[in-house]
Structures are given as structure tokens and as C-alpha cells.
Amino acid sequence: MDWNDFAKRLTLELSRLPVTSFLIVQGPSGLPYVQAMRAEGVLDSEAVSSAFLPRPLAPRQERRLRSLGWEPPDEEERKNWWHQFPLRDRGGARAAAEHLEACALLAGLMVGAFRDVYRVESPLELVYQASRSGPEGGPLALPGLGIPLAVPDADARPASSARAPRPSGSALERALAEARERGDQHAYLELLARAVLYLPAPGDPGAAEHQFATAQFGDGTFVLAFTSPEAMDRSLQGQAVHHREASLSELSRHWPHPDWQLAVNPGLPSASY
């Protein structure tokens, strides 16, 4: 995946961010980072400034941020570089087109900051975190970005290191539901990243490595994934005969379509969309 491909993926995910949600794309250590926040009528964004970096940005780097379209920090309300896109509240084809254009412009700003200013060589060096606030909020899984979650994946750790046990079954679902209830997106995503996901498989599971069960929620197509066979059975009411297993990182690497999204345990208290 190159920067152009990542910009297209980022545009799609930004366009689907619900109101009162955010997306942070960052290096594995947390720096550098660029973030987008979706609110009523506005898409707000920030790129990390010298105030939070171990080494200040050079003048040429700040000139590049300006030329890309980022506004400088004001040292009061804005401590990071920023840009804001107003969005139409009304629906319709024109508003949808303007919304997508704003997301494409923001994706370009974000990619330019990472590539030209922070000198990240490839989007594959980045990770992300995303969440929605409010009573119906919780973590957002965005595998269509093609980069990992900003939480450790047990599969990626050295074999000699001590591993936390993989959560599973009803205990995992209770923990996910509790994390969602209290709005703890980091805990939710960490649990999800360590869990085995069960993917309903059409027909023979041995021949369905790249086949995915999907569902329509609103205008979106969602890949269905569950944290246990029991959760799958409760959600689908026994309709799934076969399934296969995968980790979230494996699912991200083999994501079937950039326009599709992920639904974990849909319809259950531990659900995430």
C-alpha cells in the first residue's frame, strides 16, 4: 500500500465518521500523530506541533505544513497545527459531494503531513485509534484503513515474551460490553486485538478463506465478525452453519473491499460498528 492508496482509504473512512467521533492516525509510539474530529456541521483536524514532539519542527517543515494548508498553532486554544472544514447539515446529493470532497482534502493534508513533514516512509508504519463519544458511543474498528489498531497484538509479540491470555467466550463479551458502557475505547480495542474472531463462512469453511458474510446497516456494507461461536449463534439466530477463525490483524491484512466496514457482535451488548 502506497500513500495514494492510503489517501483513498482514509477519505472513505473519514467520510463515514459519525458525529461526535474521532480518528487518530499515529506512529506506534504515539508520535507523530494527525487527528480528525467529526462534530455537527464541521470536520476538525490537527497535526502534532513542536509543543508535543521530542524535537521541534525545523522552519522548512513548518513552511511545508503551511503550504499544505495547515494553520499554525496560536498557543492558546490551538497548540497543534489545525484545519477546519465546514459541512452542510442538510442532506442531498450536493451536500454528500461536498462532504466527500472535504474528506478527500483532509486526507491529502494528513498524508502530506506524514510523508513530507514527519518523514514517515510508508503508511504501513502507522497505526490508528478511533472512537465515538456519547451514550451510544464506543470504539470504532476501521479495518478498511489497512493499518493496525494502536494496541498491541499478541500474535506480533516475540514467542519468548510473556503473553496475556487470550480473552474468550462470555467473559470476553462481558468485558467488551463493560468497556463500551464506560466509553473506554482503549480497553475495548485491546480486548478485540487479542481475541479470536469467528467469521461466518458460506458453504465449506475450508474453501471459504476469502469469502465473508456481510450485512447492510443503513447505507453501508458490514463484514460480520463475532467473539465466540455462541455470540454468532445468538446474533444470527442459528443461521450460520460454518465459520472460520482469524485475528483482527489478519482480517485487516485480507480486508475484502475498501468500502466495507466491520460489525463485531451486531445486535449484542458488546457490539461495535
Side-chain angles (χ1 to χ4, degrees), residues 189-228:
L189 293 176
E190 186 172 31
L191 286 165
L192 198 62
R194 288 166 37 213
V196 174
L197 295 179
Y198 297 83
L199 310 177
D204 179 5
E209 182 179 356
H210 300 297
Q211 297 181 31
F212 297 86
T214 62
Q216 294 292 130
F217 299 117
D219 295 330
T221 299
F222 288 74
V223 172
L224 301 181
F226 300 89
T227 52
S228 70

Side-chain angles (χ1 to χ4, degrees), residues 57-222:
L57 295 170
R60 59 179 174 77
Q61 291 174 296
E62 294 190 334
R63 287 195 297 271
R64 180 56 180 154
L65 283 167
R66 285 180 183 272
S67 69
L68 286 168
W70 291 100
E71 298 290 338
D74 60 17
E75 304 304 332
E76 294 179 4
E77 293 185 4
R78 296 280 192 172
K79 295 187 179 297
N80 282 323
W81 292 80
W82 63 279
H83 197 98
Q84 195 173 82
F85 295 89
L87 301 174
R88 287 173 178 261
D89 292 328
R90 297 188 299 274
R94 182 176 179 181
E98 290 177 354
H99 179 81
L100 189 61
E101 181 182 6
C103 293
L105 290 171
L106 176 53
L109 289 181
M110 295 172 76
V111 164
F114 281 120
R115 182 191 59 209
D116 302 343
V117 178
Y118 305 129
R119 299 299 183 185
V120 177
E121 292 187 2
S122 166
L124 297 176
E125 298 176 19
L126 300 171
V127 296
Y128 80 92
Q129 54 180 304
S131 185
R132 183 179 185 180
S133 60
E136 299 181 358
L140 300 173
L142 309 177
L145 283 174
I147 58 176
L149 288 164
V151 292
D153 185 346
D155 288 336
R157 297 173 187 167
S160 59
S161 66
R163 294 186 179 183
R166 283 189 179 274
S168 62
S170 58
L172 169 60
E173 287 146 35
R174 283 196 300 272
L176 289 170
E178 290 169 1
R180 178 182 175 179
E181 180 69 22
R182 64 178 183 267
D184 189 345
Q185 60 95 17
H186 179 82
Y188 189 104
L189 293 176
E190 186 172 31
L191 286 165
L192 198 62
R194 288 166 37 213
V196 174
L197 295 179
Y198 297 83
L199 310 177
D204 179 5
E209 182 179 356
H210 300 297
Q211 297 181 31
F212 297 86
T214 62
Q216 294 292 130
F217 299 117
D219 295 330
T221 299
F222 288 74

Side-chain angles (χ1 to χ4, degrees), residues 32-58:
Y33 65 81
V34 179
Q35 58 190 6
M37 293 75 70
R38 174 79 164 90
E40 288 286 355
V42 68
L43 185 60
D44 198 68
S45 58
E46 292 187 348
V48 64
S49 72
S50 296
F52 304 103
L53 290 169
R55 296 178 61 182
L57 295 170

